[in-house]
mmCIF file of all heavy atoms in Angstrom:
data_model
loop_
_atom_site.group_PDB
_atom_site.id
_atom_site.type_symbol
_atom_site.label_atom_id
_atom_site.label_comp_id
_atom_site.label_asym_id
_atom_site.label_seq_id
_atom_site.Cartn_x
_atom_site.Cartn_y
_atom_site.Cartn_z
ATOM 1 N N ASN T 5 6.937 140.297 71.823
ATOM 2 C CA ASN T 5 6.207 140.648 73.064
ATOM 3 C C ASN T 5 4.776 141.147 72.760
ATOM 4 O O ASN T 5 4.300 141.889 73.623
ATOM 5 C CB ASN T 5 6.979 141.690 73.837
ATOM 6 C CG ASN T 5 7.077 143.032 73.163
ATOM 7 O OD1 ASN T 5 7.053 143.019 71.900
ATOM 8 N ND2 ASN T 5 7.082 144.104 73.812
ATOM 9 N N ARG T 10 -1.408 149.175 65.658
ATOM 10 C CA ARG T 10 -1.344 150.303 64.771
ATOM 11 C C ARG T 10 -0.136 150.202 63.874
ATOM 12 O O ARG T 10 0.864 150.801 64.096
ATOM 13 C CB ARG T 10 -1.398 151.623 65.526
ATOM 14 C CG ARG T 10 -2.718 151.857 66.271
ATOM 15 C CD ARG T 10 -2.641 153.166 66.883
ATOM 16 N NE ARG T 10 -1.533 153.268 67.961
ATOM 17 C CZ ARG T 10 -1.062 154.370 68.404
ATOM 18 N NH1 ARG T 10 -1.617 155.567 68.031
ATOM 19 N NH2 ARG T 10 -0.136 154.402 69.315
ATOM 20 N N VAL T 36 15.000 147.269 61.701
ATOM 21 C CA VAL T 36 14.816 148.005 62.881
ATOM 22 C C VAL T 36 13.500 148.805 62.727
ATOM 23 O O VAL T 36 13.063 149.271 61.706
ATOM 24 C CB VAL T 36 15.907 149.012 63.046
ATOM 25 C CG1 VAL T 36 15.754 149.887 64.264
ATOM 26 C CG2 VAL T 36 17.274 148.227 63.105
ATOM 27 N N PRO T 86 12.386 143.649 71.501
ATOM 28 C CA PRO T 86 12.575 144.908 71.924
ATOM 29 C C PRO T 86 14.107 145.258 72.380
ATOM 30 O O PRO T 86 14.834 144.383 72.989
ATOM 31 C CB PRO T 86 11.713 145.023 73.356
ATOM 32 C CG PRO T 86 11.626 143.543 73.728
ATOM 33 C CD PRO T 86 11.760 142.732 72.430
ATOM 34 N N GLY T 92 16.622 157.000 80.193
ATOM 35 C CA GLY T 92 15.879 157.422 81.356
ATOM 36 C C GLY T 92 14.442 156.918 81.421
ATOM 37 O O GLY T 92 13.844 156.944 80.416
ATOM 38 N N CYS T 108 3.982 135.085 77.334
ATOM 39 C CA CYS T 108 2.887 134.393 77.992
ATOM 40 C C CYS T 108 1.748 134.520 77.049
ATOM 41 O O CYS T 108 1.736 135.240 76.074
ATOM 42 C CB CYS T 108 2.598 134.850 79.427
ATOM 43 S SG CYS T 108 1.875 136.549 79.350
ATOM 44 N N THR T 128 24.868 147.644 97.835
ATOM 45 C CA THR T 128 25.675 148.181 96.686
ATOM 46 C C THR T 128 24.991 149.415 96.032
ATOM 47 O O THR T 128 25.543 149.958 95.204
ATOM 48 C CB THR T 128 25.843 147.064 95.679
ATOM 49 O OG1 THR T 128 24.580 146.664 95.289
ATOM 50 C CG2 THR T 128 26.596 145.944 96.200
ATOM 51 N N CYS T 144 3.211 139.891 76.732
ATOM 52 C CA CYS T 144 4.311 139.587 77.565
ATOM 53 C C CYS T 144 3.901 139.863 79.080
ATOM 54 O O CYS T 144 3.047 140.551 79.356
ATOM 55 C CB CYS T 144 5.661 140.326 77.276
ATOM 56 S SG CYS T 144 6.578 139.740 75.942
ATOM 57 N N VAL T 147 7.714 140.784 84.666
ATOM 58 C CA VAL T 147 7.757 140.149 85.934
ATOM 59 C C VAL T 147 8.805 140.806 86.848
ATOM 60 O O VAL T 147 8.875 140.401 88.028
ATOM 61 C CB VAL T 147 7.997 138.695 85.755
ATOM 62 C CG1 VAL T 147 6.864 138.026 85.070
ATOM 63 C CG2 VAL T 147 9.250 138.379 84.991
ATOM 64 N N PRO T 153 21.724 152.740 88.194
ATOM 65 C CA PRO T 153 22.048 154.172 88.005
ATOM 66 C C PRO T 153 22.382 154.521 86.454
ATOM 67 O O PRO T 153 22.858 153.505 85.735
ATOM 68 C CB PRO T 153 23.290 154.327 88.901
ATOM 69 C CG PRO T 153 23.237 153.130 89.800
ATOM 70 C CD PRO T 153 22.528 152.193 89.150
ATOM 71 N N ILE T 172 12.626 133.137 85.126
ATOM 72 C CA ILE T 172 12.305 131.835 84.587
ATOM 73 C C ILE T 172 12.029 130.986 85.744
ATOM 74 O O ILE T 172 10.955 130.076 85.694
ATOM 75 C CB ILE T 172 13.536 131.285 83.777
ATOM 76 C CG1 ILE T 172 13.604 132.195 82.527
ATOM 77 C CG2 ILE T 172 13.340 129.879 83.472
ATOM 78 C CD1 ILE T 172 14.808 131.745 81.652
ATOM 79 N N ALA T 174 10.572 131.686 88.558
ATOM 80 C CA ALA T 174 9.290 131.986 89.175
ATOM 81 C C ALA T 174 8.153 131.885 88.212
ATOM 82 O O ALA T 174 7.085 131.243 88.598
ATOM 83 C CB ALA T 174 9.228 133.496 89.611
ATOM 84 N N SER T 198 37.593 121.873 83.884
ATOM 85 C CA SER T 198 38.783 122.722 83.922
ATOM 86 C C SER T 198 39.557 122.373 85.104
ATOM 87 O O SER T 198 40.895 122.259 84.967
ATOM 88 C CB SER T 198 38.277 124.192 84.041
ATOM 89 O OG SER T 198 39.424 125.057 84.192
ATOM 90 N N PRO T 235 54.635 109.358 51.564
ATOM 91 C CA PRO T 235 54.682 108.290 52.663
ATOM 92 C C PRO T 235 56.093 107.696 52.690
ATOM 93 O O PRO T 235 56.717 107.257 51.745
ATOM 94 C CB PRO T 235 53.708 107.259 52.086
ATOM 95 C CG PRO T 235 52.752 107.994 51.224
ATOM 96 C CD PRO T 235 53.555 109.136 50.484
ATOM 97 N N THR T 298 69.605 103.570 26.325
ATOM 98 C CA THR T 298 69.381 103.026 25.019
ATOM 99 C C THR T 298 68.264 101.955 24.989
ATOM 100 O O THR T 298 67.576 101.801 24.007
ATOM 101 C CB THR T 298 70.708 102.503 24.406
ATOM 102 O OG1 THR T 298 71.216 101.448 25.342
ATOM 103 C CG2 THR T 298 71.681 103.562 24.294
ATOM 104 N N SER T 320 53.901 124.182 39.919
ATOM 105 C CA SER T 320 54.269 124.942 41.153
ATOM 106 C C SER T 320 54.532 126.403 41.000
ATOM 107 O O SER T 320 54.426 127.151 41.990
ATOM 108 C CB SER T 320 55.586 124.298 41.791
ATOM 109 O OG SER T 320 56.695 124.625 40.983
ATOM 110 N N SER T 364 52.704 126.190 51.705
ATOM 111 C CA SER T 364 52.805 124.839 52.246
ATOM 112 C C SER T 364 52.629 123.778 51.156
ATOM 113 O O SER T 364 53.189 122.651 51.048
ATOM 114 C CB SER T 364 51.714 124.554 53.295
ATOM 115 O OG SER T 364 50.432 124.878 52.886
ATOM 116 N N ASN T 381 67.617 109.448 39.437
ATOM 117 C CA ASN T 381 68.996 109.468 39.439
ATOM 118 C C ASN T 381 69.693 108.548 40.408
ATOM 119 O O ASN T 381 70.697 108.930 41.045
ATOM 120 C CB ASN T 381 69.429 110.953 39.830
ATOM 121 C CG ASN T 381 69.535 111.877 38.662
ATOM 122 O OD1 ASN T 381 69.651 111.408 37.564
ATOM 123 N ND2 ASN T 381 69.334 113.192 38.904
ATOM 124 N N LEU T 387 70.331 119.042 44.247
ATOM 125 C CA LEU T 387 69.384 119.925 44.830
ATOM 126 C C LEU T 387 69.366 121.317 44.331
ATOM 127 O O LEU T 387 68.383 122.026 44.221
ATOM 128 C CB LEU T 387 69.450 119.862 46.356
ATOM 129 C CG LEU T 387 69.318 118.556 47.052
ATOM 130 C CD1 LEU T 387 69.547 118.702 48.537
ATOM 131 C CD2 LEU T 387 67.871 117.994 46.889
ATOM 132 N N LYS T 414 78.262 118.802 49.737
ATOM 133 C CA LYS T 414 78.727 119.828 48.642
ATOM 134 C C LYS T 414 79.163 118.991 47.473
ATOM 135 O O LYS T 414 79.847 117.928 47.635
ATOM 136 C CB LYS T 414 79.742 120.712 49.107
ATOM 137 C CG LYS T 414 79.174 121.571 50.149
ATOM 138 C CD LYS T 414 80.227 122.684 50.613
ATOM 139 C CE LYS T 414 79.684 123.530 51.737
ATOM 140 N NZ LYS T 414 80.710 124.502 52.252
ATOM 141 N N GLU T 422 74.035 127.793 36.834
ATOM 142 C CA GLU T 422 74.288 128.831 37.874
ATOM 143 C C GLU T 422 75.017 128.112 39.114
ATOM 144 O O GLU T 422 74.634 126.968 39.537
ATOM 145 C CB GLU T 422 73.035 129.523 38.354
ATOM 146 C CG GLU T 422 72.371 130.272 37.219
ATOM 147 C CD GLU T 422 70.990 130.951 37.719
ATOM 148 O OE1 GLU T 422 70.876 131.094 38.906
ATOM 149 O OE2 GLU T 422 70.347 131.428 36.853
ATOM 150 N N LEU T 429 74.309 118.410 47.001
ATOM 151 C CA LEU T 429 73.804 117.048 46.634
ATOM 152 C C LEU T 429 73.007 116.312 47.634
ATOM 153 O O LEU T 429 73.536 116.332 48.850
ATOM 154 C CB LEU T 429 75.119 116.199 46.203
ATOM 155 C CG LEU T 429 74.929 115.017 45.336
ATOM 156 C CD1 LEU T 429 74.492 115.443 43.919
ATOM 157 C CD2 LEU T 429 76.214 114.231 45.145
ATOM 158 N N LEU T 434 70.628 104.161 53.467
ATOM 159 C CA LEU T 434 70.194 103.556 54.761
ATOM 160 C C LEU T 434 71.407 103.337 55.664
ATOM 161 O O LEU T 434 72.609 103.113 55.105
ATOM 162 C CB LEU T 434 69.586 102.184 54.436
ATOM 163 C CG LEU T 434 68.236 102.237 53.543
ATOM 164 C CD1 LEU T 434 67.773 100.830 53.310
ATOM 165 C CD2 LEU T 434 67.124 103.038 54.346
ATOM 166 N N LYS T 440 64.436 115.598 62.460
ATOM 167 C CA LYS T 440 64.402 116.637 63.354
ATOM 168 C C LYS T 440 63.443 117.708 62.948
ATOM 169 O O LYS T 440 63.359 118.022 61.692
ATOM 170 C CB LYS T 440 65.750 117.352 63.642
ATOM 171 C CG LYS T 440 66.796 116.336 64.264
ATOM 172 C CD LYS T 440 68.044 117.129 64.471
ATOM 173 C CE LYS T 440 69.117 116.137 65.027
ATOM 174 N NZ LYS T 440 70.427 116.852 65.290
#
Side-chain angles (χ1 to χ4, degrees):
N5 65 327
R10 293 182 299 166
V36 179
C108 69
T128 58
C144 278
V147 296
I172 293 175
S198 178
T298 55
S320 68
S364 59
N381 275 336
L387 297 175
K414 293 182 179 180
E422 298 179 15
L429 200 66
L434 298 177
K440 296 181 180 180

